[in-house]
């Protein structure tokens, strides 16, 4: 089983739609969670961290469910510019050998259509 | 703005050639990483370094080596390039664990390597 799993998609949605992605992780000791965004032929960039209580940044909402070991990203009122690949990122079990290491999911591709 | 600069955006090399990929960051970050990204496989960690002259193997270190002689520079070396090393290589850096922004990676623009 992969440590971090995402549905690769693509998710094709019309402008204005609400779309949600889930990501599951296998290590219950994981402590920190993030969503990164990667545009076509570009490097990944941090979109938002995911906090235990859930957090929102404009049209984007991230949630964590520790009991079921998944995180989610909800995008409301999709824009054409939201088209990208969204990477779920998890920190491994804390320990000196894992300092700073992150585990990336394969990414979910979103295509927002006019 | 944190900046991570990779020396080459596109390289074409022949099988057996030695390849150097250079990465420089200007934010005094302790941690530096080399990933490769392939369709269907996502980002895979090759090597990382948390201090000058320190290095740790990632998930796929075979066929690669690294060098960190200065804090700001982390080099990836392919001693004898092979066709299965054709990929997008991404360098990243982050501050020390426990500091502000720890666990947040800043990536370079990537180096697309083709080995013929």
């Amino acid at each position: 089983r992969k440590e971090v799993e995402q549905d690769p998609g693509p998710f094709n949605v019309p402008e204005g739609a609400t779309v949600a992605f889930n990501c599951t992780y296998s290590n219950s000791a994981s402590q920190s969670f993030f969503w990164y965004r990667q545009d076509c032929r570009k490097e990944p960039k941090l979109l938002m961290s995911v906090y235990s209580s859930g957090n929102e940044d404009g049209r984007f909402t991230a949630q964590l469910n520790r009991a079921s070991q998944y995180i989610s990203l909800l995008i409301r009122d999709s824009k054409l510019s939201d088209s990208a690949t969204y990477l779920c990122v998890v920190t491994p079990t804390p320990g000196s050998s894992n300092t700073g290491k992150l585990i990336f999911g394969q990414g979910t591709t979103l295509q927002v259509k006019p | 703005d944190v900046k991570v600069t990779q020396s080459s955006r596109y390289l074409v090399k022949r099988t057996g050639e030695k390849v150097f990929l250079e990465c420089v960051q200007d934010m005094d970050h302790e941690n530096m990483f080399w990933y490769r990204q392939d369709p269907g496989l996502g980002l895979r960690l090759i090597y990382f370094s948390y201090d000058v002259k320190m290095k740790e193997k990632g998930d796929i270190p075979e066929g690669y080596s690294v060098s960190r002689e200065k804090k700001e520079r982390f080099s990836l070396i392919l001693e004898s390039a092979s066709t299965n090393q054709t990929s997008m290589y991404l360098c990243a850096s982050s501050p020390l664990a426990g500091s502000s922004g720890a666990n947040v990676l800043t990536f370079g623009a990537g180096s697309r390597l083709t080995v013929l």
Side-chain angles (χ1 to χ4, degrees), chain A residues 36 38 43-44 97 100-101 106, chain B residues 33 37 40 43 48 105 107-108:
Chain A
Y36 278 67
Q38 186 172 24
E43 72 273 21
S97 65
K101 284 176 65 176
Q106 286 188 40
Chain B
F33 306 82
Q37 186 173 32
L43 277 150
F48 70 102
L105 295 184
F107 285 88

Side-chain angles (χ1 to χ4, degrees), chain B residues 45-65:
Chain B
L45 182 64
I46 304 171
Y47 267 98
F48 70 102
S49 168
Y50 53 88
D51 202 353
V52 175
K53 297 192 186 295
M54 304 302 290
K55 59 185 179 184
E56 295 278 346
K57 291 180 179 180
D59 300 315
I60 52 162
E62 297 78 20
Y64 303 94
S65 61

Side-chain angles (χ1 to χ4, degrees), chain A:
Chain A
R1 183 186 170 187
K2 291 180 183 174
E3 291 185 83
V4 179
E5 293 204 64
Q6 296 181 252
D7 180 347
F11 284 57
N12 295 302
V13 303
E15 267 186 294
T18 295
V19 61
F21 313 131
N22 280 344
C23 162
T24 58
Y25 60 95
S26 60
N27 188 342
S28 60
S30 298
Q31 293 194 335
S32 300
F33 308 88
F34 308 89
W35 285 102
Y36 278 67
R37 171 193 168 126
Q38 186 172 24
D39 293 311
C40 188
R41 298 191 177 277
K42 300 278 191 179
E43 72 273 21
K45 292 184 179 179
L46 178 68
L47 177 66
M48 58 197 302
S49 302
V50 186
Y51 301 121
S52 297
S53 55
N55 48 296
E56 197 172 296
D57 182 2
R59 297 181 292 108
F60 297 82
T61 301
Q63 295 204 312
L64 167 64
N65 185 318
R66 285 193 182 274
S68 300
Q69 293 181 212
Y70 76 84
I71 67 172
S72 63
L73 178 68
L74 180 80
I75 306 175
R76 290 182 299 280
D77 189 22
S78 300
K79 311 290 185 193
L80 295 176
S81 57
D82 293 334
S83 298
T85 296
Y86 292 84
L87 303 170
C88 170
V89 183
V90 173
T91 55
T93 306
S96 59
S97 65
N98 291 326
T99 301
K101 284 176 65 176
L102 301 180
I103 302 169
F104 286 78
Q106 286 188 40
T108 298
T109 298
L110 172 66
Q111 295 274 7
V112 182
K113 307 287 188 182

Side-chain angles (χ1 to χ4, degrees), chain B residues 14-19 63 77-83 85 115:
Chain B
R14 297 207 175 272
T15 301
E17 280 192 80
K18 192 169 185 175
V19 182
I77 302 148
L78 288 69
E79 292 289 342
S80 177
S82 62
T83 54
Q85 292 178 309
V115 182

